[in-house]
């Protein structure tokens, strides 16, 4: 079956630091890939997506590229802010089902 | 435009009882999915509905069931509640699942 592996964290960074959260996947077919973000006490918000190989998803300074050859979809941001503190989930969609990674908690300190 | 609305936000039930959770998707979205979120298991897929038909189901016991109405609103039901059913239940809707889901804020169920 489909699976998503991401670093568990927590990840603690200083404001303006560079962020990378690694994500790799196993899937049959050609799934769409996503990053979702969850702020405390809230549901998940779609951060960015990529629907085919070599697509780059981007939003709010975050980026991720769909790498079929390495089955990866790493999340990056050049300069994090305190407001980016949240839990980030890598996910893939296949056969009307979303499979999520375990989530990576990011804490950004001033 | 209104988002995905889940009711109630919080619920406390006793073991052995049953519970029904409600989800109103974004207008025009016909795909509705449900997920269970717990600290130990993370986000687990329950089921997905499209135009009143269940298209996929996760690995949960038969105590967990759902349905979708003609207006795309969805309900999920859990019978004979167990302590381990305590979780945040998230509903999500999509126009096309390939392009991502919009999630509601969830229903926090506590079983005592």
């Amino acid at each position: 079956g489909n699976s998503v592996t991401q670093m568990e964290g927590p990840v603690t960074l200083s404001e303006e630091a560079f962020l990378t959260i690694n994500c790799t996947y196993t899937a049959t077919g050609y799934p769409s890939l996503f990053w979702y973000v969850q702020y405390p006490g809230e549901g998940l918000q779609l951060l960015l997506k990529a629907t085919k190989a070599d697509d780059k998803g981007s939003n709010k300074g975050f980026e991720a590229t769909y790498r079929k050859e390495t089955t990866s979809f790493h999340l990056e941001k050049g300069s994090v802010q305190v407001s980016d503190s949240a839990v980030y989930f890598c996910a893939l969609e296949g056969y009307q089902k979303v499979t999520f990674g375990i989530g990576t908690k990011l804490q950004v300190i001033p | 435009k209104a988002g995905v609305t889940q009711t109630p936000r919080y619920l406390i039930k006793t073991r052995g009882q049953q519970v029904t959770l409600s989800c109103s998707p974004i207008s025009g979205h016909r795909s509705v999915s449900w997920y269970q979120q717990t600290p130990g298991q993370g986000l687990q897929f329950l089921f997905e509905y499209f135009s009143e038909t269940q298209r996929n189901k996760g690995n949960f016991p038969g105590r967990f069931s759902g349905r979708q109405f003609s207006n795309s609103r969805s309900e999920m039901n859990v019978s004979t509640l167990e302590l381990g059913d305590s979780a945040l239940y998230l509903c999500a809707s999509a126009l096309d699942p390939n392009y991502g889901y919009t999630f509601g804020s969830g229903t926090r169920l506590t079983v005592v």
Side-chain angles (χ1 to χ4, degrees):
Chain A
N2 296 341
S3 67
V4 175
T5 303
Q6 66 178 106
M7 50 197 294
E8 193 162 339
V11 173
T12 302
L13 295 173
S14 297
E15 207 166 19
E16 299 183 3
F18 183 85
L19 168 72
T20 300
I21 301 178
N22 290 335
C23 170
T24 57
Y25 67 91
T26 302
T28 54
Y30 303 95
S32 293
L33 302 176
F34 308 93
W35 279 97
Y36 284 88
V37 58
Q38 186 174 34
Y39 298 98
E42 298 184 15
L44 277 70
Q45 297 178 25
L46 179 62
L47 180 60
L48 54 83
K49 63 180 179 287
T51 58
K52 61 184 187 298
D54 300 324
D55 265 2
K56 177 186 280 189
S58 62
N59 186 25
K60 299 181 181 179
F62 291 90
E63 292 183 341
T65 302
Y66 191 161
R67 302 284 188 202
K68 192 169 184 298
E69 63 277 11
T70 54
T71 60
S72 64
F73 193 55
H74 306 321
L75 182 68
E76 296 181 336
K77 186 175 185 182
S79 175
V80 294
Q81 306 300 311
V82 172
S83 57
D84 293 328
S85 298
V87 180
Y88 292 81
F89 293 90
C90 185
L92 66 84
E93 196 280 337
Y95 304 105
Q96 300 89 42
K97 169 185 173 180
V98 180
T99 301
F100 289 91
I102 198 164
T104 301
K105 183 174 183 178
L106 171 66
Q107 183 179 12
V108 180
I109 54 178
Chain B
K1 112 184 176 180
V4 177
T5 304
Q6 291 188 246
T7 56
R9 282 298 307 272
Y10 302 93
L11 208 47
I12 299 176
K13 289 288 188 179
T14 305
R15 267 184 307 174
Q17 286 187 313
Q18 76 162 15
V19 67
T20 299
L21 311 183
S22 181
C23 172
S24 293
I26 289 175
S27 178
H29 287 191
R30 291 194 289 168
S31 172
V32 175
S33 294
W34 289 88
Y35 294 83
Q36 181 196 65
Q37 186 177 26
T38 60
Q41 298 297 317
L43 283 151
Q44 301 287 314
F45 171 76
L46 281 155
F47 22 67
E48 190 265 358
Y49 288 89
F50 183 87
S51 294
E52 303 179 69
T53 299
Q54 186 182 91
R55 298 196 295 186
N56 204 344
K57 187 177 191 306
N59 295 323
F60 279 82
R63 301 185 296 107
F64 291 80
S65 63
R67 59 178 176 169
Q68 186 181 33
F69 301 95
S70 57
N71 61 359
S72 293
R73 192 177 69 83
S74 178
E75 290 181 346
M76 67 163 280
N77 184 278
V78 188
S79 63
T80 320
L81 284 165
E82 299 177 0
L83 294 179
D85 297 333
S86 296
L88 179 66
Y89 289 88
L90 292 166
C91 171
S93 74
L95 194 59
D96 179 347
N98 287 314
Y99 293 93
Y101 281 90
T102 301
F103 281 79
S105 297
T107 293
R108 172 76 60 186
L109 172 65
T110 302
V111 182
V112 297

